[in-house]
Amino acid sequence: MNITKNFTQLENFGHSLSASAYLIQPHTTEEIYEAFQLAKKKGLTVTARGAGRSYNDAALTGGGIVLDMRGMNAITTWDNSTGLITAQPGATLEQIWQRVEPDGWWPPVVSGTMKTTLGGCLSANIHGKNNFKMGTIGEHVVEFTAVLPTGAEITCSPGKNADLFYSMISGLGMLGIFTSVTLQMKRVHSGLLTVDAYPVHNLREHLSSLLDGAPDHDYIVGWLDCIAGGKSLGRGQIHATRYLHEGEDPNPQETMKINNQVLPPRIFGVFPKSMLHFFMAPFMNNIGVWGVNTAKYIASLRKHTFRQSHAAFHFLLDYVPDWELSYGRRGLIQYQSFIPKESAEAAWTEMIKLSHKNGLPSYLGVTKRHRPDKFLLTHAVDGFSLAMDFKVTNKNRAKLNGMLQEFDRIVLQAGGRFYFAKNSETTAETAQAFYGEETIAKFKKLKKRCDPNALLESDLYRRIFG
Ligand SMILES: Cc1cc2nc3c(=O)[nH]c(=O)nc-3n(C[C@H](O)[C@H](O)[C@H](O)COP(=O)(O)OP(=O)(O)OC[C@H]3O[C@@H](n4cnc5c(N)ncnc54)[C@H](O)[C@@H]3O)c2cc1C
C-alpha cells in the first residue's frame, strides 16, 4: 500500500482546526486491518473518520493515517416488520431515515444533522432532542461488529462482550473500528410531528420549561438568546414536540414519503439554499446577531402550535448548506456543557455574564433536557445541556481560549460534564477531573487489551488522555 500521495489536510466541522494525514478509504474489514499493519510498520497512528461532522479534533490525527469510513456505507438488511436495520459504519443517518420512514419507522435518536455516519454516532454516543426519554443512540444498538488493531474481529451486544459494548460506544473511536451496526428503529404513525412553540423570558423560566415540558412530550429543545442580559438573560423559545398517535394523520402514507419530508431547494422559490450562508455572513458579528436575536425573540412571543415533518424538525441546520462558512475564515467553536438540574442556572448565568464581559457572546445557544446513561465515557447528566457557538478570529482566539478554560472551571464546580464531539479546548486535567480516576483507569486497561501497540490515537485522544 503506497500512502505517500494521499497526504491531505483535513479540517474539523467548524473549520477552526486542521491536521494533515495519510488518507485511506477502506472497503472491507481486511483493508482496515492492513492499514493497522502498515501503521505499526511505519510507526504511525490511526484514526477513523466518518462524515467529519465533529466540531473538534475527534476525527483528526496529525501526521497519522485517517481511515475514511465512507467507503463502507451499505445498508445490509432492513426488516420492516421488526424495525431492525443493519448497516456498515459509513452509512449516514440520512440513508437510514430515508430507508425506514416510508415503511413507518424513524431512527430513535438522531443528531441535529443527518450527514453523520453510524460509526461516528456510536463513537460519540450521540443524543437527540429526546435524550430525557430515549437516552443515547447506544441504547438502541442491538449488536455491532468491530475490528481491533490486533486484527481480532468481535461482536458485541448488551449481553455479549458487554464491557466492550459499553466502552466502544462512547469510546471516541479509540478501542477499535466498527464494521457493522444493528439498530432498532422506532415505529411512527405519521411523517409529521406536532410542535408547541412558546417563549421563555429568562433562564429560570427557560430551564423550568424544559424540566416541566419534557414528561408530556417526545422531544424538547430550546433556543437561548446568548446576547440578552440583565433580567432577560437566558430568554428564548421552547419547541416541545409530540409524535402523532395512530389515526391522527388521515394520510400517513403520503406524509411519510421522502418528498414530503425534505424542504424545497430554493428560498422564496428564488434563491438557491446554497447561497444562504453568503447572506448570513454580514450578520455574524455582535451587533448583527443582537439584531437577529431580538427580531427572533419578538417573533417568538406568539405562542403557537404547528405541524412539521420529522426531517425539518430534526435537521433544520442541514437546510442551510455550509452554514458554518458564514462564521468566516477561522470558523467556529461549539462549547457544550452538561450540568445537573440543581446547579445549571447559576453556572450558565455566570458563563453568559462572563461572555458579555469579554465581549465574546455566543451567536447561537441551544438547550436540551438529559438523563444519565451507563456508557463508560458518558457525557450525560440528570439535567440540561447548553451548546454555544463562538466565532473564531485571529484576534480573539487566545482570549476565547482563556474564556473557555474559565467555563470549564465553572462547569466542573457545578458537577457538570463535557461532550467530546464538540468541545475543542478542554484539557487533560479537566477531562480527568470529570471522568474520574476509576473511569480513566478502566478505559486505559481496555485500551491496552484492544490496542496493545497504541495505534489508535486521534488529536482529541492526545489532548484529553495525555
Ligand atoms: C450541525 C451539527 C449538529 C449536531 N448535532 C448533534 C446532536 O444533536 N447531538 C449530538 O450528540 N451530536 C451532534 N453533533 C455532533 C455529531 O453528531 C458527532 O460529532 C458525530 O460523532 C459526527 O459523526 P461523523 O460521522 O461525522 O463522525 P466524525 O466526526 O468523522 O468522527 C467522530 C468520531 O467517530 C470516530 N469514528 C468514525 N467512524 C468510526 C468507525 N467506523 N469506528 C470507530 N470510530 C469511528 C472517529 O474516530 C471520531 O472519534 C452535531 C454536529 C453537527 C455538525
Side-chain angles (χ1 to χ4, degrees), residues 253-266:
Q253 295 308 330
E254 196 55 30
T255 58
M256 290 190 296
K257 278 187 184 156
I258 295 168
N259 285 349
N260 292 325
Q261 290 290 315
V262 292
L263 293 182
R266 287 176 183 272

Side-chain angles (χ1 to χ4, degrees), residues 13 47-60 67 69 89-90 110-113 115-129 168 172-174 176-179 317-318 323 334 336 368 379 419-422 458 460:
F13 171 74
T47 296
R49 185 173 172 99
R53 250 57 185 183
S54 295
Y55 280 85
N56 62 2
D57 43 1
L60 299 174
L67 298 176
M69 298 305 297
V110 295
S111 47
T113 170
K115 304 295 176 190
T116 48
T117 64
L118 286 184
C121 290
L122 263 60
S123 290
N125 200 14
I126 62 155
H127 59 266
K129 300 173 182 77
M168 285 190 68
L172 310 169
M174 290 298 105
I177 306 292
F178 298 111
T179 48
L317 285 171
D318 289 341
W323 60 266
Q334 186 171 108
Q336 188 173 17
K368 291 181 193 144
H379 57 270
Y419 183 28
F420 290 120
K422 308 283 179 85
S458 60
L460 169 68

Side-chain angles (χ1 to χ4, degrees), residues 139-436:
E139 293 175 49
H140 307 277
V141 173
V142 175
E143 182 179 284
F144 68 75
T145 60
V147 57
L148 305 182
T150 55
E153 290 180 48
I154 53 163
T155 301
C156 301
S157 69
K160 187 174 180 187
N161 293 321
D163 56 346
L164 288 180
F165 181 84
Y166 286 104
S167 52
M168 285 190 68
I169 297 178
S170 80
L172 310 169
M174 290 298 105
L175 299 177
I177 306 292
F178 298 111
T179 48
S180 174
V181 181
T182 301
L183 270 172
Q184 175 66 58
M185 297 291 111
K186 177 165 183 8
R187 176 61 92 187
V188 291
H189 302 289
S190 170
L192 298 173
L193 297 162
T194 302
V195 184
D196 295 325
Y198 52 94
V200 281
H201 303 97
N202 53 53
L203 189 56
R204 179 160 300 174
E205 196 185 327
H206 197 129
L207 298 181
S208 58
S209 289
L210 291 175
L211 196 63
D212 300 340
D216 299 331
H217 292 88
D218 295 302
Y219 300 95
I220 198 157
V221 61
W223 162 69
L224 192 145
D225 176 359
C226 293
I227 305 260
K231 283 187 186 149
S232 299
L233 187 145
R235 74 182 183 183
Q237 187 186 35
I238 304 290
H239 278 185
T241 303
R242 275 186 231 101
Y243 293 114
L244 270 64
H245 301 298
E246 198 166 0
E248 253 189 287
D249 181 351
N251 202 351
Q253 295 308 330
E254 196 55 30
T255 58
M256 290 190 296
K257 278 187 184 156
I258 295 168
N259 285 349
N260 292 325
Q261 290 290 315
V262 292
L263 293 182
R266 287 176 183 272
I267 311 286
F268 308 127
V270 182
F271 301 113
K273 285 184 308 185
S274 53
M275 286 173 63
L276 204 59
H277 70 90
F278 290 113
F279 293 104
M280 289 162 63
F283 295 96
M284 286 299 185
N285 52 63
N286 291 1
I287 294 173
V289 175
W290 172 83
V292 170
N293 282 8
T294 305
K296 182 170 160 60
Y297 178 68
I298 291 168
S300 77
L301 289 173
R302 189 176 62 87
K303 196 173 169 180
H304 61 295
T305 297
F306 59 98
R307 285 193 176 168
Q308 194 172 29
S309 74
H310 291 263
F313 173 74
H314 289 291
F315 309 127
L316 205 58
L317 285 171
D318 289 341
Y319 291 109
V320 186
D322 301 325
W323 60 266
E324 71 283 5
L325 297 179
S326 66
Y327 276 81
R329 286 188 45 226
R330 297 291 162 236
L332 78 146
I333 286 177
Q334 186 171 108
Y335 184 94
Q336 188 173 17
S337 50
F338 291 71
I339 304 197
K341 55 187 187 305
E342 297 76 17
S343 45
E345 185 187 339
W348 286 328
T349 300
E350 194 180 346
M351 283 157 61
I352 294 168
K353 280 186 176 170
L354 193 61
S355 72
H356 293 173
K357 195 171 140 204
N358 280 296
L360 293 170
S362 157
Y363 289 173
L364 179 66
V366 175
T367 54
K368 291 181 193 144
R369 171 83 174 104
H370 296 272
R371 75 174 192 203
D373 59 68
K374 50 184 185 173
F375 292 89
L376 187 61
L377 299 185
T378 178
H379 57 270
V381 294
D382 179 7
F384 311 102
S385 71
L386 169 60
M388 303 165 104
D389 287 0
F390 293 97
K391 179 172 176 163
V392 182
T393 63
N394 284 337
K395 216 169 131 198
N396 79 6
R397 190 156 204 150
K399 193 172 175 190
L400 185 57
N401 190 352
M403 185 177 85
L404 298 182
Q405 303 294 334
E406 254 319 90
F407 278 16
D408 280 2
R409 185 193 57 75
I410 297 167
V411 173
L412 274 185
Q413 239 169 32
R417 305 182 77 84
F418 306 91
Y419 183 28
F420 290 120
K422 308 283 179 85
N423 298 22
S424 46
E425 312 295 318
T426 302
T427 61
E429 293 71 39
T430 303
Q432 281 168 26
F434 93 87
Y435 280 138

Side-chain angles (χ1 to χ4, degrees), residues 34-91:
E34 275 171 33
F36 279 129
Q37 285 177 308
L38 181 73
K40 192 172 163 196
K41 199 165 125 198
K42 299 219 177 259
L44 299 173
T45 58
V46 180
T47 296
R49 185 173 172 99
R53 250 57 185 183
S54 295
Y55 280 85
N56 62 2
D57 43 1
L60 299 174
T61 184
I65 294 175
V66 166
L67 298 176
D68 174 358
M69 298 305 297
R70 290 173 303 176
M72 293 174 71
N73 70 346
I75 294 178
T76 33
T77 61
W78 163 233
D79 183 340
N80 66 7
S81 61
T82 60
L84 281 180
I85 193 161
T86 301
Q88 290 183 312

